[in-house]
Amino acid sequence: MSYHFNFAPILAQWPLLLSGIGLGLLLALVSIAIGSLLGLVVAFATRAPSRWLAGLAFAWISTLRNLPILVIVLFLFFGMPQLGLSLDKINSFILALSLYTSAYMAEVFRAGLLSVPPGLIEAGQAIGLTRSRIQRDIVLPIMFRNALPAFGNNFVSLFKDTSLAATIAVPELTYYARKINSETFRVIEVWLVASLLYIVCCYAITLILRALEKRLVLEAN
Amino acid sequence: MQWDYFFDQVLSHRDALLQGTAVTIGVSLSAIVAGTLLGIAIGVAVTYGIKPLRWPARAYIDIIRGTPVLVLVLATFYISSAVGLDLGAFQAGVLALTLFCASHVGEILRGALQALPRGQIEAGRAIGLTFGGIFRHILFPQALRYALPTWITAAVEMVKASTLLSVIGVAELLLTTQQIISNNFLNMQFYLLAGLIYFLIDFAIEQVGRYVGRRLDRPARRTT
Amino acid sequence: MTPIVEVRALHKRFGELEVLKGIDLVVNEGEVVSIIGSSGSGKTTLLRCLNLLEEFHQGEVRIGGESIGYRQRNGQRVRASEREIAGQRAMTGMVFQAFNLFPHMSALDNVTLGLTRVRGMSRRQAVELADHWLERVGMRERRDHRPAQLSGGQQQRVAIARAIAMNPRVMLFDEATSALDPERVGEVLETIRSLAQEGMTMVLVTHEMRFARDVSDKVVFMDGGRIAEQGPPATLFSTPESARLQAFLKTSSL
């Protein structure tokens, strides 16, 4: 095989690639924020005294986890306008990603809740704290610390999932990679660069989150 | 609402939908089987391999897992044809999913193997088993039980990821759905239907996994 | 008297740290030898050298007359092949502190694994032999139980059956009762004692001084990687010579 590598045409497009990464990160950040809030509500709902509400929360988790994200994206973007709910492609994609990740975040928070030792809650009761005080000052902070590593994994997955926005022409990294692919025909180079950029970003996110984790753990001590 | 029209359309596209579902299941199954076999080799290499084996296996896992599946699918599809490998969309898609699956299985197996207590290896050595025997009879069966829940999750992920093959033109369930929609414009209804079918497949895998998991935990009953 | 275990000038290092500084020891057929000493004295390491779970750097270990683990090739000391070492390990049986039963197998299958895979027995032969030994340690009725369904003492008795069913030349016990609840120690010690009375050759690393005194033909006191004192239990426990042994015996309850 005598393939002559030529990265110049791809690297010449670096502003596009960079803006693609920027948009991807933005999509992931907004979606994880909305998805986490939603997931927190769902996580508490799974432990609600009302069986009906808890069942609904479990159904939410099970349904969204077992649907392909691409189907959710296409359903929201192409299907919802039929019900009179039209969102532009970016907002529609953010909604899809937020709903999808809310199921995973709910699981993360649920596991975090379950890992709060009952003895700590009893200790709170023993010093006379109210139920809501115990939730706010004891359960939530411990839950968040426990949830942090899984939260990081979810965020990295979510960032990779932003590549799906390319299918509804949201101009993120994968979209530009396909564009450059068809314009320059430097096929191998384009995809090498694209996946390298994703890998580097995922790695950087992981490092940042790990540093954050360490700081939080130290603070806790 | 056009529900009557929708049911009409479902009936008239029944064969295409069944065909698409079959392709989805076929693609996923092939990728899961091939990816699991390759993943086992990679997981073993990463955990017990000598350095020249361990290092590339580790790099493989990190690189594939750091790349979005869609990029993997597109890259495999375009690059394979660029280098003159005439794979076609179907084979390129299955290859991409297999590579993806293998990286996950490799990492899952590594985690499971490393979680096993060291005493298990020593007890195997003490009764005179070689490493091959220890791996086959002691480590692997235990790692399998340990890894099963995560492996089931990976299998569900594979079915979900198979939708990405629609982007390179493999007529699996999602692309079939899109083709039907382009005729009748029933976007919402047919995406819902596709979602329902995917949910049922994934849910079924989960349930089978749970059932198998319970059986594995039962005490052995085999005697002579 | 035929020597079963012969250890000569054994040296073992962990990196810079020398943990065995020249051990000489002979265990004759049918003898029960207890190794005592404080933690860090090297007693467990010595035991693990006898079945090659630890490598050693100088000296020689013979089991039943065969030098194990290493061979001379062109004047160089090289480690034997994995297959050879596996075969040599099967000449000894080991019982671990943490039992190390295989959790995915029934008690019966724990015992038969080595018989079928190492000794090459048929499944029927292996089950027959395993049943015999499980009966012997009082675990026959529970042969279909998984380790998780057994108490610590029961697990350890299965582990003893697993080791002894292989028909080893010598049984090695590495603090076999240290991980047990106090009320379970007795049943395991009883099992070991009855095997000893039948003439099984044994080397025990133990903290149970009373048991060591009652059951052993010889007691070896290790200190700082060396054998500081050895002899019949009556002499060693009643008239210890070295100050170290006197101090050690004072802190351990007899």
Side-chain angles (χ1 to χ4, degrees), chain B residues 119-120 122-123 125-128 130-131 136-138 141-142 218-220 222-224, chain C residues 48 82 86 89 92 96 100-105 109 117-118 127 143-144 146 149 162 166:
Chain B
Q120 290 292 309
E122 295 196 339
R125 282 185 183 157
I127 56 172
T130 57
F131 184 77
R136 239 178 69 209
H137 301 297
I138 300 172
Q142 287 186 59
R218 275 197 206 151
R222 186 177 51 142
T223 44
T224 33
Chain C
R48 289 164 59 88
E82 208 213 324
R89 282 193 180 117
T92 61
F96 297 87
N100 295 348
L101 287 185
F102 308 127
H104 59 302
M105 295 179 184
D109 288 343
R117 299 292 162 182
V118 179
V127 169
R143 66 176 209 169
D144 294 329
R146 292 275 180 94
Q149 300 168 302
R162 174 175 73 181
M166 297 288 289

mmCIF file of all heavy atoms in Angstrom, chain B residues 119-120 122-123 125-128 130-131 136-138 141-142 218-220 222-224, chain C residues 48 82 86 89 92 96 100-105 109 117-118 127 143-144 146 149 162 166:
data_model
loop_
_atom_site.group_PDB
_atom_site.id
_atom_site.type_symbol
_atom_site.label_atom_id
_atom_site.label_comp_id
_atom_site.label_asym_id
_atom_site.label_seq_id
_atom_site.Cartn_x
_atom_site.Cartn_y
_atom_site.Cartn_z
ATOM 1 N N GLY B 119 -5.449 -15.290 46.072
ATOM 2 C CA GLY B 119 -5.447 -16.627 46.652
ATOM 3 C C GLY B 119 -6.018 -17.669 45.720
ATOM 4 O O GLY B 119 -5.684 -18.851 45.823
ATOM 5 N N GLN B 120 -6.889 -17.260 44.797
ATOM 6 C CA GLN B 120 -7.461 -18.209 43.849
ATOM 7 C C GLN B 120 -6.378 -18.795 42.945
ATOM 8 O O GLN B 120 -6.362 -19.984 42.669
ATOM 9 C CB GLN B 120 -8.539 -17.519 43.007
ATOM 10 C CG GLN B 120 -9.783 -17.178 43.805
ATOM 11 C CD GLN B 120 -10.523 -18.432 44.229
ATOM 12 O OE1 GLN B 120 -10.801 -19.292 43.408
ATOM 13 N NE2 GLN B 120 -10.813 -18.546 45.510
ATOM 14 N N GLU B 122 -3.207 -18.931 43.701
ATOM 15 C CA GLU B 122 -2.305 -19.725 44.537
ATOM 16 C C GLU B 122 -2.892 -21.094 44.849
ATOM 17 O O GLU B 122 -2.180 -22.095 44.837
ATOM 18 C CB GLU B 122 -1.998 -18.971 45.828
ATOM 19 C CG GLU B 122 -1.235 -17.691 45.548
ATOM 20 C CD GLU B 122 -0.596 -17.121 46.784
ATOM 21 O OE1 GLU B 122 -1.053 -17.460 47.891
ATOM 22 O OE2 GLU B 122 0.356 -16.351 46.640
ATOM 23 N N ALA B 123 -4.210 -21.116 45.121
ATOM 24 C CA ALA B 123 -4.834 -22.402 45.422
ATOM 25 C C ALA B 123 -4.757 -23.313 44.197
ATOM 26 O O ALA B 123 -4.549 -24.516 44.318
ATOM 27 C CB ALA B 123 -6.283 -22.198 45.841
ATOM 28 N N ARG B 125 -2.420 -23.182 41.876
ATOM 29 C CA ARG B 125 -1.026 -23.622 41.771
ATOM 30 C C ARG B 125 -0.736 -24.737 42.760
ATOM 31 O O ARG B 125 -0.037 -25.695 42.448
ATOM 32 C CB ARG B 125 -0.094 -22.455 42.061
ATOM 33 C CG ARG B 125 0.046 -21.514 40.906
ATOM 34 C CD ARG B 125 1.077 -20.467 41.248
ATOM 35 N NE ARG B 125 1.184 -19.509 40.172
ATOM 36 C CZ ARG B 125 1.643 -18.278 40.311
ATOM 37 N NH1 ARG B 125 2.040 -17.876 41.528
ATOM 38 N NH2 ARG B 125 1.718 -17.463 39.305
ATOM 39 N N ALA B 126 -1.283 -24.565 43.972
ATOM 40 C CA ALA B 126 -0.962 -25.525 45.022
ATOM 41 C C ALA B 126 -1.438 -26.932 44.677
ATOM 42 O O ALA B 126 -0.855 -27.904 45.130
ATOM 43 C CB ALA B 126 -1.580 -25.081 46.354
ATOM 44 N N ILE B 127 -2.509 -27.057 43.870
ATOM 45 C CA ILE B 127 -2.906 -28.410 43.482
ATOM 46 C C ILE B 127 -2.264 -28.809 42.162
ATOM 47 O O ILE B 127 -2.620 -29.826 41.569
ATOM 48 C CB ILE B 127 -4.441 -28.598 43.412
ATOM 49 C CG1 ILE B 127 -5.067 -27.582 42.462
ATOM 50 C CG2 ILE B 127 -5.067 -28.530 44.780
ATOM 51 C CD1 ILE B 127 -6.548 -27.856 42.211
ATOM 52 N N GLY B 128 -1.317 -28.006 41.678
ATOM 53 C CA GLY B 128 -0.497 -28.436 40.555
ATOM 54 C C GLY B 128 -1.027 -28.069 39.183
ATOM 55 O O GLY B 128 -0.571 -28.605 38.183
ATOM 56 N N THR B 130 -1.352 -25.821 35.814
ATOM 57 C CA THR B 130 -0.546 -24.839 35.095
ATOM 58 C C THR B 130 -1.392 -23.583 34.907
ATOM 59 O O THR B 130 -2.587 -23.584 35.174
ATOM 60 C CB THR B 130 -0.142 -25.362 33.712
ATOM 61 O OG1 THR B 130 -1.340 -25.683 33.000
ATOM 62 C CG2 THR B 130 0.711 -26.604 33.827
ATOM 63 N N PHE B 131 -0.783 -22.501 34.402
ATOM 64 C CA PHE B 131 -1.548 -21.268 34.280
ATOM 65 C C PHE B 131 -2.747 -21.441 33.348
ATOM 66 O O PHE B 131 -3.824 -20.918 33.605
ATOM 67 C CB PHE B 131 -0.683 -20.102 33.802
ATOM 68 C CG PHE B 131 -1.470 -18.828 33.780
ATOM 69 C CD1 PHE B 131 -1.732 -18.156 34.963
ATOM 70 C CD2 PHE B 131 -2.014 -18.348 32.596
ATOM 71 C CE1 PHE B 131 -2.511 -17.015 34.967
ATOM 72 C CE2 PHE B 131 -2.798 -17.201 32.597
ATOM 73 C CZ PHE B 131 -3.038 -16.531 33.781
ATOM 74 N N ARG B 136 -8.520 -21.488 32.781
ATOM 75 C CA ARG B 136 -9.720 -22.113 32.229
ATOM 76 C C ARG B 136 -10.717 -22.523 33.300
ATOM 77 O O ARG B 136 -11.918 -22.313 33.151
ATOM 78 C CB ARG B 136 -9.319 -23.340 31.419
ATOM 79 C CG ARG B 136 -9.781 -23.227 29.988
ATOM 80 C CD ARG B 136 -9.357 -24.409 29.149
ATOM 81 N NE ARG B 136 -10.047 -25.617 29.513
ATOM 82 C CZ ARG B 136 -9.505 -26.828 29.371
ATOM 83 N NH1 ARG B 136 -8.278 -26.952 28.908
ATOM 84 N NH2 ARG B 136 -10.183 -27.897 29.684
ATOM 85 N N HIS B 137 -10.224 -23.107 34.388
ATOM 86 C CA HIS B 137 -11.155 -23.698 35.348
ATOM 87 C C HIS B 137 -11.466 -22.787 36.523
ATOM 88 O O HIS B 137 -12.484 -22.955 37.178
ATOM 89 C CB HIS B 137 -10.581 -25.016 35.890
ATOM 90 C CG HIS B 137 -10.310 -26.016 34.813
ATOM 91 N ND1 HIS B 137 -11.307 -26.540 34.037
ATOM 92 C CD2 HIS B 137 -9.151 -26.543 34.351
ATOM 93 C CE1 HIS B 137 -10.784 -27.380 33.157
ATOM 94 N NE2 HIS B 137 -9.475 -27.387 33.326
ATOM 95 N N ILE B 138 -10.583 -21.853 36.814
ATOM 96 C CA ILE B 138 -10.763 -21.062 38.030
ATOM 97 C C ILE B 138 -11.031 -19.588 37.733
ATOM 98 O O ILE B 138 -12.035 -19.034 38.148
ATOM 99 C CB ILE B 138 -9.536 -21.216 38.952
ATOM 100 C CG1 ILE B 138 -9.372 -22.692 39.325
ATOM 101 C CG2 ILE B 138 -9.692 -20.371 40.207
ATOM 102 C CD1 ILE B 138 -8.113 -23.005 40.057
ATOM 103 N N PRO B 141 -14.107 -18.782 34.610
ATOM 104 C CA PRO B 141 -15.508 -18.971 35.015
ATOM 105 C C PRO B 141 -15.953 -17.962 36.073
ATOM 106 O O PRO B 141 -17.083 -17.509 36.058
ATOM 107 C CB PRO B 141 -15.535 -20.389 35.592
ATOM 108 C CG PRO B 141 -14.292 -21.037 35.171
ATOM 109 C CD PRO B 141 -13.294 -19.981 34.846
ATOM 110 N N GLN B 142 -15.035 -17.605 36.971
ATOM 111 C CA GLN B 142 -15.410 -16.632 37.997
ATOM 112 C C GLN B 142 -15.556 -15.242 37.405
ATOM 113 O O GLN B 142 -16.479 -14.502 37.735
ATOM 114 C CB GLN B 142 -14.366 -16.600 39.102
ATOM 115 C CG GLN B 142 -14.411 -17.811 40.003
ATOM 116 C CD GLN B 142 -13.455 -17.653 41.166
ATOM 117 O OE1 GLN B 142 -13.557 -16.724 41.951
ATOM 118 N NE2 GLN B 142 -12.519 -18.565 41.270
ATOM 119 N N ARG B 218 -27.013 -19.867 41.609
ATOM 120 C CA ARG B 218 -27.517 -21.027 42.333
ATOM 121 C C ARG B 218 -26.392 -21.987 42.674
ATOM 122 O O ARG B 218 -25.428 -22.104 41.941
ATOM 123 C CB ARG B 218 -28.533 -21.756 41.464
ATOM 124 C CG ARG B 218 -29.900 -21.138 41.611
ATOM 125 C CD ARG B 218 -30.909 -22.097 41.092
ATOM 126 N NE ARG B 218 -32.065 -21.332 40.647
ATOM 127 C CZ ARG B 218 -32.861 -21.739 39.668
ATOM 128 N NH1 ARG B 218 -32.585 -22.844 39.030
ATOM 129 N NH2 ARG B 218 -33.890 -21.032 39.336
ATOM 130 N N PRO B 219 -26.558 -22.708 43.779
ATOM 131 C CA PRO B 219 -25.520 -23.689 44.123
ATOM 132 C C PRO B 219 -25.436 -24.782 43.063
ATOM 133 O O PRO B 219 -26.432 -25.110 42.423
ATOM 134 C CB PRO B 219 -26.014 -24.261 45.452
ATOM 135 C CG PRO B 219 -27.460 -23.893 45.532
ATOM 136 C CD PRO B 219 -27.631 -22.641 44.765
ATOM 137 N N ALA B 220 -24.253 -25.293 42.896
ATOM 138 C CA ALA B 220 -24.063 -26.354 41.918
ATOM 139 C C ALA B 220 -24.844 -27.579 42.361
ATOM 140 O O ALA B 220 -24.900 -27.897 43.533
ATOM 141 C CB ALA B 220 -22.589 -26.700 41.823
ATOM 142 N N ARG B 222 -24.680 -30.441 40.303
ATOM 143 C CA ARG B 222 -24.162 -31.572 39.541
ATOM 144 C C ARG B 222 -23.452 -32.553 40.471
ATOM 145 O O ARG B 222 -22.618 -32.188 41.277
ATOM 146 C CB ARG B 222 -23.166 -31.071 38.503
ATOM 147 C CG ARG B 222 -22.700 -32.153 37.575
ATOM 148 C CD ARG B 222 -21.787 -31.536 36.576
ATOM 149 N NE ARG B 222 -20.749 -30.750 37.247
ATOM 150 C CZ ARG B 222 -19.507 -30.697 36.827
ATOM 151 N NH1 ARG B 222 -19.155 -31.363 35.775
ATOM 152 N NH2 ARG B 222 -18.621 -29.969 37.456
ATOM 153 N N THR B 223 -23.820 -33.814 40.398
ATOM 154 C CA THR B 223 -23.055 -34.833 41.110
ATOM 155 C C THR B 223 -22.500 -35.750 40.036
ATOM 156 O O THR B 223 -22.426 -35.347 38.893
ATOM 157 C CB THR B 223 -23.946 -35.590 42.102
ATOM 158 O OG1 THR B 223 -25.188 -35.891 41.458
ATOM 159 C CG2 THR B 223 -24.226 -34.752 43.324
ATOM 160 N N THR B 224 -22.122 -36.975 40.434
ATOM 161 C CA THR B 224 -21.548 -37.876 39.419
ATOM 162 C C THR B 224 -22.243 -37.753 38.153
ATOM 163 O O THR B 224 -22.202 -37.622 37.140
ATOM 164 C CB THR B 224 -21.686 -39.338 39.868
ATOM 165 O OG1 THR B 224 -22.886 -39.459 40.617
ATOM 166 C CG2 THR B 224 -20.498 -39.735 40.666
ATOM 167 N N ARG C 48 5.983 -21.273 51.926
ATOM 168 C CA ARG C 48 5.594 -21.039 50.529
ATOM 169 C C ARG C 48 6.710 -21.361 49.560
ATOM 170 O O ARG C 48 6.458 -21.563 48.371
ATOM 171 C CB ARG C 48 5.103 -19.599 50.361
ATOM 172 C CG ARG C 48 3.743 -19.358 51.037
ATOM 173 C CD ARG C 48 3.450 -17.871 51.205
ATOM 174 N NE ARG C 48 3.438 -17.161 49.946
ATOM 175 C CZ ARG C 48 2.360 -17.030 49.166
ATOM 176 N NH1 ARG C 48 1.219 -17.536 49.553
ATOM 177 N NH2 ARG C 48 2.429 -16.378 48.029
ATOM 178 N N GLU C 82 7.135 -24.075 33.455
ATOM 179 C CA GLU C 82 5.892 -23.947 34.209
ATOM 180 C C GLU C 82 5.251 -25.310 34.441
ATOM 181 O O GLU C 82 4.725 -25.597 35.514
ATOM 182 C CB GLU C 82 4.938 -23.038 33.441
ATOM 183 C CG GLU C 82 3.968 -22.315 34.361
ATOM 184 C CD GLU C 82 2.627 -22.087 33.700
ATOM 185 O OE1 GLU C 82 2.598 -21.839 32.485
ATOM 186 O OE2 GLU C 82 1.616 -22.185 34.410
ATOM 187 N N ALA C 86 4.473 -27.004 37.977
ATOM 188 C CA ALA C 86 3.110 -27.406 38.334
ATOM 189 C C ALA C 86 3.109 -28.841 38.854
ATOM 190 O O ALA C 86 2.466 -29.151 39.855
ATOM 191 C CB ALA C 86 2.188 -27.262 37.120
ATOM 192 N N ARG C 89 4.600 -28.961 42.296
ATOM 193 C CA ARG C 89 3.687 -28.422 43.321
ATOM 194 C C ARG C 89 2.690 -29.479 43.758
ATOM 195 O O ARG C 89 2.245 -29.492 44.905
ATOM 196 C CB ARG C 89 2.932 -27.214 42.759
ATOM 197 C CG ARG C 89 3.759 -25.955 42.737
ATOM 198 C CD ARG C 89 2.858 -24.763 42.484
ATOM 199 N NE ARG C 89 3.629 -23.540 42.450
ATOM 200 C CZ ARG C 89 3.742 -22.751 41.382
ATOM 201 N NH1 ARG C 89 3.128 -23.071 40.258
ATOM 202 N NH2 ARG C 89 4.457 -21.661 41.443
ATOM 203 N N THR C 92 3.124 -31.595 46.892
ATOM 204 C CA THR C 92 2.780 -31.081 48.216
ATOM 205 C C THR C 92 1.321 -30.656 48.200
ATOM 206 O O THR C 92 0.770 -30.351 47.152
ATOM 207 C CB THR C 92 3.631 -29.846 48.578
ATOM 208 O OG1 THR C 92 3.366 -28.815 47.625
ATOM 209 C CG2 THR C 92 5.107 -30.170 48.569
ATOM 210 N N PHE C 96 -4.529 -23.010 53.062
ATOM 211 C CA PHE C 96 -4.255 -21.588 53.222
ATOM 212 C C PHE C 96 -5.012 -20.996 54.403
ATOM 213 O O PHE C 96 -6.064 -21.495 54.805
ATOM 214 C CB PHE C 96 -4.697 -20.821 51.972
ATOM 215 C CG PHE C 96 -3.961 -21.208 50.719
ATOM 216 C CD1 PHE C 96 -4.394 -22.272 49.936
ATOM 217 C CD2 PHE C 96 -2.844 -20.497 50.308
ATOM 218 C CE1 PHE C 96 -3.729 -22.623 48.775
ATOM 219 C CE2 PHE C 96 -2.174 -20.843 49.149
ATOM 220 C CZ PHE C 96 -2.611 -21.906 48.383
ATOM 221 N N ASN C 100 -9.215 -20.101 50.409
ATOM 222 C CA ASN C 100 -9.064 -20.040 48.956
ATOM 223 C C ASN C 100 -9.806 -21.154 48.231
ATOM 224 O O ASN C 100 -9.329 -21.680 47.235
ATOM 225 C CB ASN C 100 -7.587 -20.077 48.549
ATOM 226 C CG ASN C 100 -6.833 -18.855 49.015
ATOM 227 O OD1 ASN C 100 -7.449 -17.885 49.437
ATOM 228 N ND2 ASN C 100 -5.517 -18.890 48.935
ATOM 229 N N LEU C 101 -10.997 -21.476 48.716
ATOM 230 C CA LEU C 101 -11.830 -22.393 47.928
ATOM 231 C C LEU C 101 -12.297 -21.661 46.681
ATOM 232 O O LEU C 101 -12.408 -20.439 46.678
ATOM 233 C CB LEU C 101 -13.039 -22.849 48.754
ATOM 234 C CG LEU C 101 -12.759 -23.850 49.875
ATOM 235 C CD1 LEU C 101 -14.072 -24.295 50.501
ATOM 236 C CD2 LEU C 101 -11.991 -25.056 49.362
ATOM 237 N N PHE C 102 -12.562 -22.434 45.616
ATOM 238 C CA PHE C 102 -13.053 -21.823 44.387
ATOM 239 C C PHE C 102 -14.546 -21.572 44.543
ATOM 240 O O PHE C 102 -15.327 -22.515 44.639
ATOM 241 C CB PHE C 102 -12.761 -22.733 43.193
ATOM 242 C CG PHE C 102 -11.314 -23.144 43.126
ATOM 243 C CD1 PHE C 102 -10.955 -24.479 43.039
ATOM 244 C CD2 PHE C 102 -10.302 -22.197 43.181
ATOM 245 C CE1 PHE C 102 -9.624 -24.856 42.991
ATOM 246 C CE2 PHE C 102 -8.968 -22.570 43.140
ATOM 247 C CZ PHE C 102 -8.624 -23.904 43.046
ATOM 248 N N PRO C 103 -14.950 -20.286 44.571
ATOM 249 C CA PRO C 103 -16.331 -19.969 44.978
ATOM 250 C C PRO C 103 -17.385 -20.402 43.965
ATOM 251 O O PRO C 103 -18.547 -20.490 44.303
ATOM 252 C CB PRO C 103 -16.315 -18.450 45.127
ATOM 253 C CG PRO C 103 -15.185 -17.993 44.281
ATOM 254 C CD PRO C 103 -14.168 -19.095 44.284
ATOM 255 N N HIS C 104 -16.953 -20.655 42.713
ATOM 256 C CA HIS C 104 -17.949 -20.997 41.696
ATOM 257 C C HIS C 104 -18.165 -22.505 41.597
ATOM 258 O O HIS C 104 -18.894 -22.975 40.740
ATOM 259 C CB HIS C 104 -17.509 -20.451 40.343
ATOM 260 C CG HIS C 104 -16.175 -20.966 39.876
ATOM 261 N ND1 HIS C 104 -15.028 -20.796 40.616
ATOM 262 C CD2 HIS C 104 -15.820 -21.654 38.780
ATOM 263 C CE1 HIS C 104 -14.021 -21.350 39.970
ATOM 264 N NE2 HIS C 104 -14.473 -21.878 38.856
ATOM 265 N N MET C 105 -17.506 -23.259 42.474
ATOM 266 C CA MET C 105 -17.640 -24.706 42.408
ATOM 267 C C MET C 105 -18.186 -25.239 43.730
ATOM 268 O O MET C 105 -17.947 -24.657 44.785
ATOM 269 C CB MET C 105 -16.268 -25.353 42.188
ATOM 270 C CG MET C 105 -15.630 -25.022 40.865
ATOM 271 S SD MET C 105 -14.029 -25.823 40.774
ATOM 272 C CE MET C 105 -13.471 -25.171 39.200
ATOM 273 N N ASP C 109 -16.633 -30.385 43.704
ATOM 274 C CA ASP C 109 -15.849 -30.005 42.525
ATOM 275 C C ASP C 109 -14.533 -29.339 42.904
ATOM 276 O O ASP C 109 -13.550 -29.422 42.173
ATOM 277 C CB ASP C 109 -16.666 -29.084 41.617
ATOM 278 C CG ASP C 109 -17.770 -29.851 40.900
ATOM 279 O OD1 ASP C 109 -17.670 -31.092 40.862
ATOM 280 O OD2 ASP C 109 -18.718 -29.225 40.405
ATOM 281 N N ARG C 117 -7.886 -32.876 36.520
ATOM 282 C CA ARG C 117 -7.074 -32.062 35.614
ATOM 283 C C ARG C 117 -5.575 -32.251 35.803
ATOM 284 O O ARG C 117 -4.812 -32.002 34.891
ATOM 285 C CB ARG C 117 -7.412 -30.580 35.784
ATOM 286 C CG ARG C 117 -8.832 -30.229 35.469
ATOM 287 C CD ARG C 117 -9.127 -30.392 34.000
ATOM 288 N NE ARG C 117 -10.561 -30.470 33.781
ATOM 289 C CZ ARG C 117 -11.131 -30.645 32.599
ATOM 290 N NH1 ARG C 117 -10.369 -30.776 31.523
ATOM 291 N NH2 ARG C 117 -12.426 -30.709 32.477
ATOM 292 N N VAL C 118 -5.173 -32.610 36.999
ATOM 293 C CA VAL C 118 -3.742 -32.778 37.235
ATOM 294 C C VAL C 118 -3.381 -34.257 37.316
ATOM 295 O O VAL C 118 -2.439 -34.715 36.677
ATOM 296 C CB VAL C 118 -3.305 -32.048 38.525
ATOM 297 C CG1 VAL C 118 -1.815 -32.255 38.769
ATOM 298 C CG2 VAL C 118 -3.627 -30.568 38.429
ATOM 299 N N VAL C 127 -14.625 -38.545 41.839
ATOM 300 C CA VAL C 127 -15.742 -38.333 42.764
ATOM 301 C C VAL C 127 -15.656 -39.334 43.912
ATOM 302 O O VAL C 127 -15.884 -38.997 45.078
ATOM 303 C CB VAL C 127 -17.090 -38.447 42.022
ATOM 304 C CG1 VAL C 127 -18.252 -38.503 43.010
ATOM 305 C CG2 VAL C 127 -17.268 -37.274 41.076
ATOM 306 N N ARG C 143 -21.370 -31.909 50.304
ATOM 307 C CA ARG C 143 -20.482 -31.868 49.146
ATOM 308 C C ARG C 143 -21.043 -31.047 47.999
ATOM 309 O O ARG C 143 -20.312 -30.583 47.144
ATOM 310 C CB ARG C 143 -20.200 -33.285 48.667
ATOM 311 C CG ARG C 143 -21.416 -33.993 48.112
ATOM 312 C CD ARG C 143 -21.012 -35.338 47.571
ATOM 313 N NE ARG C 143 -21.907 -35.713 46.479
ATOM 314 C CZ ARG C 143 -21.695 -36.731 45.677
ATOM 315 N NH1 ARG C 143 -20.627 -37.476 45.830
ATOM 316 N NH2 ARG C 143 -22.532 -37.003 44.709
ATOM 317 N N ASP C 144 -22.383 -30.859 47.955
ATOM 318 C CA ASP C 144 -22.960 -30.083 46.856
ATOM 319 C C ASP C 144 -23.130 -28.606 47.208
ATOM 320 O O ASP C 144 -23.666 -27.839 46.421
ATOM 321 C CB ASP C 144 -24.310 -30.678 46.449
ATOM 322 C CG ASP C 144 -24.129 -32.058 45.847
ATOM 323 O OD1 ASP C 144 -23.068 -32.291 45.234
ATOM 324 O OD2 ASP C 144 -25.028 -32.904 46.016
ATOM 325 N N ARG C 146 -21.981 -24.736 47.870
ATOM 326 C CA ARG C 146 -20.947 -23.801 47.441
ATOM 327 C C ARG C 146 -20.233 -23.261 48.682
ATOM 328 O O ARG C 146 -20.849 -23.186 49.759
ATOM 329 C CB ARG C 146 -21.571 -22.607 46.704
ATOM 330 C CG ARG C 146 -22.176 -22.949 45.376
ATOM 331 C CD ARG C 146 -21.106 -22.938 44.304
ATOM 332 N NE ARG C 146 -21.692 -23.277 43.020
ATOM 333 C CZ ARG C 146 -22.133 -22.374 42.141
ATOM 334 N NH1 ARG C 146 -22.035 -21.090 42.407
ATOM 335 N NH2 ARG C 146 -22.640 -22.761 40.998
ATOM 336 N N GLN C 149 -21.959 -21.078 51.139
ATOM 337 C CA GLN C 149 -23.005 -21.650 51.990
ATOM 338 C C GLN C 149 -22.423 -22.392 53.182
ATOM 339 O O GLN C 149 -23.153 -23.038 53.917
ATOM 340 C CB GLN C 149 -23.868 -22.608 51.166
ATOM 341 C CG GLN C 149 -24.545 -21.940 49.986
ATOM 342 C CD GLN C 149 -25.149 -22.962 49.047
ATOM 343 O OE1 GLN C 149 -24.460 -23.830 48.533
ATOM 344 N NE2 GLN C 149 -26.445 -22.857 48.823
ATOM 345 N N ARG C 162 -9.401 -31.100 49.782
ATOM 346 C CA ARG C 162 -8.921 -30.783 48.439
ATOM 347 C C ARG C 162 -7.422 -31.041 48.321
ATOM 348 O O ARG C 162 -6.941 -31.575 47.324
ATOM 349 C CB ARG C 162 -9.226 -29.312 48.111
ATOM 350 C CG ARG C 162 -8.636 -28.842 46.803
ATOM 351 C CD ARG C 162 -9.051 -27.418 46.463
ATOM 352 N NE ARG C 162 -8.378 -26.415 47.290
ATOM 353 C CZ ARG C 162 -8.589 -25.109 47.183
ATOM 354 N NH1 ARG C 162 -9.481 -24.644 46.309
ATOM 355 N NH2 ARG C 162 -7.946 -24.265 47.956
ATOM 356 N N MET C 166 -5.126 -35.200 46.768
ATOM 357 C CA MET C 166 -4.116 -35.273 45.710
ATOM 358 C C MET C 166 -2.987 -36.241 46.069
ATOM 359 O O MET C 166 -2.037 -36.400 45.316
ATOM 360 C CB MET C 166 -3.519 -33.884 45.447
ATOM 361 C CG MET C 166 -4.500 -32.860 44.929
ATOM 362 S SD MET C 166 -4.980 -33.169 43.228
ATOM 363 C CE MET C 166 -3.468 -32.754 42.371
#
